[in-house]
Amino acid sequence: MAEPTSGELTPDALTPDALTSDVLAESQAGEALLGRYRDSLLGVFGTPQRVLVRGSGATVWDAEGREYLDLLAGIAVNALGHAHPLVTSVVASQSATLGHISNFFTSPTQIALAEKLLQLSEAPEGSKVFFTNSGTESNEAAFKLARRHGGTDRPRIIALQDGFHGRSMGALALTWKPAHREPFEPLPGGVEWVPAGDVAALRAAVDETVAAVVVEPIQGEAGVRGMPEGYLQAVREITREAGALMIVDEVQTGVGRTGAWFASTGVEPDAMTLAKGLGGGFPIGALITCGEAVSELLSAGQHGTTFGGNPVATAAALATIHALESGGVLENVRRVGAATADALAARAEVTEVRAHGLLIGFDVDDAGLPGSAPLAPAIVAQALEAGFIINAPGPRTLRLAPPLTITEDQMMRFVEALPGIHRAAKENT
């Protein structure tokens, strides 16, 4: 372990007044903090790009005081941006009243949020909610729901190629990319994949031996690729004919990200999973089971969670939903998303744009690069140097998932900077 340097705030020196990231950062520069990170945290994320210490709206600042426009929002999590006053005040108030109680008990905020989600999703009579801490945990619960439905007679589960559902063992078993799955095999069995958006392939795969079909309306990790028109309706029809469940993964796309409450609005799934934007930055997820028969598949003792649905998390989610409903935010998502997509499409260095509200993927021109050198990671690095946080789900694909409250002027700052960022990235690749 690295030796403490002069002025460093070591663990033994921590005091209540110093337990915030901005105060801790005052004792040491970002590079030194990154060294301590490497010495003390498991390296599953690689080395972080920066040490961030505070944020406001769509802007964050690092330990050196540099400012960034956050166009990723913690991977589509910070729906209202950083330090939204309603969320922070509700979290503080609820924390000061009742924090964690376990699921031996319930709380008014837990009940109110469940009722609100059932209302927003237009779930049929008899529908229920199970709260989790994350998207992968929501999909893990959905996996067990499918197993309970299928039993030994329906051992197969169908997922889509290029889909991503999380990194816990059940959710990972549903995830397509072999590089994610293979180091951890054997995984829970019975999962098969069909080409995304291919109705004929799905129809050929689904019969009375299938417990469930799991589908993302828009595949974010695949580069923000939506399903073809009518595909979700076809999934509904095929699963209903075969007696299989239709499970919709709205972890990234739900809660307003696309300009609607859910990207699958208009389709009636048997279950829906949520997370990311639900808590406005506070960790919370949910599984919604639709209808009485599906909701009875998991009974007392068959599933659970220690932290899921605690009063603070559910209060944060209620505050987030209230702000989305009352502030015209969904209209902002549609308007700013469309303007950004049009502006990106007009750039010479952009070859394709796939926009669904404020979940935007775009491909960049990598002509002239040697061999198969990936350009997108270099653009992410150059964008960071220029003060923009974005991410690269593919070798030539970038993803934008900013706060849903971001302004058109802020998005245009990035679009206008893109030619210089693209040029610098090509020169350094």
Side-chain angles (χ1 to χ4, degrees):
M1 182 172 291
E3 292 294 325
T5 58
S6 178
E8 176 181 338
L9 198 54
T10 63
D12 291 339
L14 292 176
T15 65
D17 291 338
L19 296 178
T20 59
S21 57
D22 55 343
V23 175
L24 285 169
E26 286 177 0
S27 66
Q28 211 163 25
E31 281 303 319
L33 287 167
L34 288 174
R36 292 170 63 187
Y37 176 99
R38 287 189 290 269
D39 290 339
S40 59
L41 279 94
L42 196 63
V44 294
F45 300 111
T47 300
Q49 300 170 80
R50 295 287 190 276
V51 179
L52 300 181
V53 297
R54 64 188 175 92
S56 177
T59 304
V60 293
W61 288 264
D62 71 11
E64 320 296 344
R66 288 176 294 199
E67 181 179 317
Y68 305 87
L69 188 59
D70 185 358
L71 301 180
L72 194 58
I75 314 182
V77 165
N78 299 312
L80 302 172
H82 298 269
H84 189 277
L86 178 61
V87 176
T88 57
S89 66
V90 167
V91 166
S93 176
Q94 184 61 54
S95 299
T97 305
L98 185 67
H100 180 70
I101 56 175
S102 88
N103 282 298
F104 291 132
F105 306 93
T106 189
S107 65
T109 57
Q110 184 184 72
I111 297 166
L113 180 61
E115 292 171 341
K116 190 65 184 178
L117 290 178
L118 293 177
Q119 176 200 339
L120 291 175
S121 62
E122 300 179 352
E125 188 73 20
S127 299
K128 307 289 183 182
V129 176
F130 172 76
F131 287 116
T132 70
N133 306 289
S134 66
T136 195
E137 196 185 342
S138 298
N139 286 330
E140 199 76 21
F143 196 111
K144 290 180 71 174
L145 187 79
R147 283 282 194 255
R148 285 288 298 142
H149 175 65
T152 56
D153 293 336
R154 292 174 175 269
R156 300 168 61 215
I157 296 175
I158 305 298
L160 302 187
Q161 293 179 5
D162 296 315
F164 180 88
H165 301 284
R167 296 175 189 269
S168 58
M169 294 300 269
L172 187 60
L174 298 168
T175 294
W176 161 249
K177 196 172 184 179
H180 290 328
R181 286 186 288 107
E182 289 175 351
F184 305 99
E185 292 178 342
L187 294 166
V191 179
E192 303 169 23
W193 293 270
V194 298
D198 187 332
V199 174
L202 183 67
R203 192 176 294 281
V206 176
D207 58 23
E208 68 280 0
T209 67
V210 170
V213 174
V214 182
V215 55
E216 295 170 284
I218 301 163
Q219 294 182 321
E221 289 297 315
V224 188
R225 298 181 185 278
M227 293 299 114
E229 184 76 23
Y231 182 74
L232 294 181
Q233 288 78 8
V235 175
R236 177 67 287 180
E237 177 186 320
I238 291 167
T239 51
R240 190 163 280 155
E241 288 175 355
L245 299 182
M246 177 181 181
I247 298 173
V248 177
D249 179 343
E250 291 254 22
V251 166
Q252 184 162 157
T253 54
V255 200
R257 172 57 56 186
T258 66
W261 283 107
F262 308 103
S264 61
T265 295
V267 180
E268 298 178 1
D270 295 302
M272 178 192 296
T273 56
L274 302 173
K276 290 194 180 291
L278 179 58
F282 209 90
I284 183 171
L287 166 70
I288 300 176
T289 57
C290 302
E292 188 172 351
V294 178
S295 298
E296 289 179 347
L297 288 172
L298 290 173
S299 57
Q302 291 187 327
H303 197 52
T305 172
T306 297
F307 295 99
N310 84 28
V312 182
T314 48
L318 282 170
T320 301
I321 292 172
H322 177 79
L324 292 174
E325 280 187 314
S326 59
V329 178
L330 299 192
E331 194 282 330
N332 185 70
V333 171
R334 294 188 290 270
R335 182 180 57 78
V336 176
T340 304
D342 289 345
L344 283 170
R347 293 294 182 189
E349 56 276 356
V350 175
T351 59
E352 183 177 331
V353 180
R354 298 173 294 278
H356 303 267
L358 282 173
L359 181 59
I360 301 171
F362 64 97
D363 298 338
V364 290
D365 177 15
D366 59 358
L369 288 181
S372 57
L375 181 60
I379 288 182
V380 171
Q382 289 297 327
L384 193 64
E385 289 298 317
F388 302 99
I389 296 175
I390 62 175
N391 120 294
R396 58 194 296 270
T397 300
L398 286 306
R399 174 172 50 181
L400 307 178
L404 306 184
T405 51
I406 200 164
T407 67
E408 186 173 334
D409 286 345
Q410 288 174 313
M411 294 301 287
M412 292 308 122
R413 279 170 49 193
F414 170 71
V415 176
E416 291 164 7
L418 184 60
I421 293 170
H422 180 263
R423 184 168 53 252
K426 291 189 80 169
E427 290 172 355
N428 289 292
T429 300

